[in-house]
Amino acid sequence: RRSAATCLQTRGMLLGVFDGHAGCACAQAVSERLFYYIAVSLLPQETLLEIEQAVESGRALLPILQWHKHPNDYFSKEASKLYFNSLRTYWQELIDLNTGETTDVKEALINSFKRLDNDLSLEAQVGDPNSFLNYWVLRVAFSGATACVAHVDGVDLHVANTGDSRALLGVQEEDGSWSAVTMSHDHNAQNESEIQRLKSEHPKEEKTVVKQDRLLGLLMPFRAFGDVKFKWSIDLQKRVIESGPDQLNDNEYTKFIPPNYHTPPYLSAEPEVIYHRLRPKDKFLILATDGLWETMHRQDIVRIVGEYLTGVHHQQPIAVGGYKVTLGQMQGLLMERRARISSVFEDQNAATHLIR
């Protein structure tokens, strides 16, 4: 899933990608909800009060976000009231906590990620009298999602990352060549600091907390939304499953307890936030899930997108198999090269071009 929206009551734009596992439910929910939590976290106290008063009196609410959607984007209408009530509880608590200080973007991003993940967990524990919603909130909680979100406000770029999606800045050097600046760190077994963090949080489980490059031998990302199987106690998991709908009870995955499960939670949705002040040579930002980074080198990705956006395609010298090349053969090689160039820029956007 991916989302894009402009903050209407504060400055800046939000962009994000969300990679689901064990089903799409968690990625879908996070893609719909996270930006609202971020936008609310950034609001000044007087705006929060104004919104709450509007709800109490039944007046129209100030729009918080302007979404930039594709016509085929799906939003869950059935869950909208549930989502709104949880968001309202959050802004009411922010009103009560009034510190008089302006929340900075980094703090807002961290608080929003953690609060939404907490709400996903709480909604699943409480359940819902509506059978569809009751099953939905459980599906969301028992599946999982990574998230990589950028907040861009003028020259100020913040990237909040939870999991193994990635953000990459495309930089055009003075000679026209392209270079890549990584704007996030993967939270997986390739990140030694993440392994050390998990071992320090579970000191008596150093041999089992990460096995075969996976959390408890099962999960690739070391941070994620949802995935309550790696967060809840065994008793809570059993209690929720036993009281839940039959579809949940019949699901072998939800009933399965991870091995060596002694000191939960093993998983967190807390993001790592990186700040960068944009320069004139910073030309674009790529947000993508791990499937892209596993397939292509970051330098190649930036070069391909940069060439697409500028319309300038740097060709490699023609390699020939020997010295005896006829003029006809050379003409054939040049015609092939020209045909490749003409097809390079046929796509309507850079993402489609990169996939091709």
Side-chain angles (χ1 to χ4, degrees):
R1 300 293 190 271
R2 57 102 187 90
S3 296
T6 301
C7 298
L8 296 178
Q9 302 305 320
T10 55
R11 295 170 19 164
M13 185 171 183
L14 291 163
L15 309 151
V17 291
F18 311 93
D19 191 12
H21 46 263
C24 65
C26 189
Q28 178 63 43
V30 175
S31 72
E32 293 183 39
R33 303 178 67 180
L34 181 57
F35 286 6
Y36 280 113
Y37 280 70
I38 297 170
V40 163
S41 298
L42 290 167
L43 291 177
Q45 186 74 7
E46 55 269 24
T47 309
L48 289 172
L49 285 166
E50 191 176 339
I51 291 173
E52 176 59 21
Q53 288 163 3
V55 174
E56 287 181 354
S57 62
R59 288 185 282 112
L61 289 181
L62 285 171
I64 298 173
L65 292 172
Q66 178 186 350
W67 290 93
H68 306 292
K69 301 179 192 175
H70 186 274
N72 293 336
D73 282 355
Y74 171 76
F75 264 58
S76 175
K77 294 178 182 176
E78 298 89 348
S80 58
K81 186 176 181 181
L82 171 71
Y83 293 171
F84 177 80
N85 288 338
S86 293
L87 183 67
R88 184 184 181 190
T89 300
Y90 179 42
W91 81 52
Q92 287 173 336
E93 290 178 15
L94 290 176
I95 291 171
D96 292 340
L97 286 170
N98 181 18
T99 59
E101 297 176 7
T102 304
T103 306
D104 68 13
V105 176
K106 179 178 180 178
E107 186 182 355
L109 288 165
I110 293 171
N111 292 345
S112 304
F113 275 58
K114 291 167 68 176
R115 177 55 183 243
L116 175 56
D117 191 53
N118 185 70
D119 282 354
L120 299 180
S121 174
L122 192 60
E123 288 161 4
Q125 293 175 52
V126 172
D128 194 283
N130 178 299
S131 59
F132 171 82
L133 281 181
N134 194 41
Y135 184 45
W136 173 251
V137 295
L138 289 164
R139 280 181 58 202
V140 169
F142 276 91
S143 59
T146 66
C148 188
V149 171
H151 179 272
V152 189
D153 178 8
V155 297
D156 296 317
L157 169 65
H158 290 82
V159 174
N161 185 56
T162 288
D164 52 10
S165 292
R166 196 179 295 174
L168 196 65
L169 200 60
V171 180
Q172 189 169 32
E173 306 298 347
E174 288 184 7
D175 63 359
S177 64
W178 295 95
S179 62
V181 175
T182 301
M183 284 296 301
S184 62
H185 302 302
D186 294 352
H187 300 134
N188 55 24
Q190 278 62 59
N191 185 338
E192 184 60 33
S193 65
E194 280 295 285
I195 294 177
Q196 294 307 316
R197 176 183 65 80
L198 283 165
K199 287 181 177 180
S200 68
E201 290 174 0
H202 307 275
K204 295 181 180 179
E205 302 167 66
E206 289 192 357
K207 293 182 179 179
T208 57
V209 69
V210 177
K211 292 187 71 175
Q212 298 174 323
D213 288 346
R214 293 170 180 257
L215 182 65
L216 298 179
L218 296 171
L219 194 64
M220 288 279 280
F222 290 173
R223 303 191 196 191
F225 285 90
D227 283 320
V228 293
K229 294 192 68 59
F230 297 87
K231 296 173 181 175
W232 288 356
S233 69
I234 293 175
D235 286 344
L236 178 57
Q237 290 188 46
K238 288 180 176 178
R239 194 160 68 246
V240 170
I241 291 168
E242 287 168 5
S243 62
D246 292 339
Q247 301 104 306
L248 199 69
N249 251 312
D250 297 338
N251 188 319
E252 291 303 318
Y253 171 77
T254 55
K255 289 194 289 187
F256 171 73
I257 302 296
N260 303 300
Y261 197 78
H262 306 300
T263 56
Y266 290 90
L267 195 64
S268 164
E270 180 169 347
E272 194 171 4
V273 180
I274 292 178
Y275 170 77
H276 178 80
R277 184 176 175 83
L278 293 170
R279 306 157 296 179
K281 64 180 182 177
D282 299 328
K283 299 301 183 184
F284 57 85
L285 180 71
I286 299 171
L287 301 175
T289 59
D290 58 337
L292 177 65
W293 314 113
E294 290 170 359
T295 308
M296 299 175 69
H297 189 274
R298 64 178 195 155
Q299 191 59 47
D300 292 330
I301 294 169
V302 164
R303 177 185 56 77
I304 289 168
V305 173
E307 290 176 353
Y308 172 83
L309 292 175
T310 59
V312 178
H313 187 61
H314 295 279
Q315 291 282 344
Q316 296 297 317
I318 289 180
V320 293
Y323 294 109
K324 293 183 179 180
V325 181
T326 67
L327 283 174
Q329 288 171 325
M330 180 57 76
Q331 184 189 24
L333 289 169
L334 289 169
M335 293 292 283
E336 284 179 22
R337 176 161 153 162
R338 189 167 74 175
R340 282 199 302 272
I341 294 171
S342 65
S343 65
V344 159
F345 305 118
E346 66 186 19
D347 300 307
Q348 293 183 5
N349 62 65
T352 307
H353 179 62
L354 190 57
I355 292 167
R356 188 187 300 276

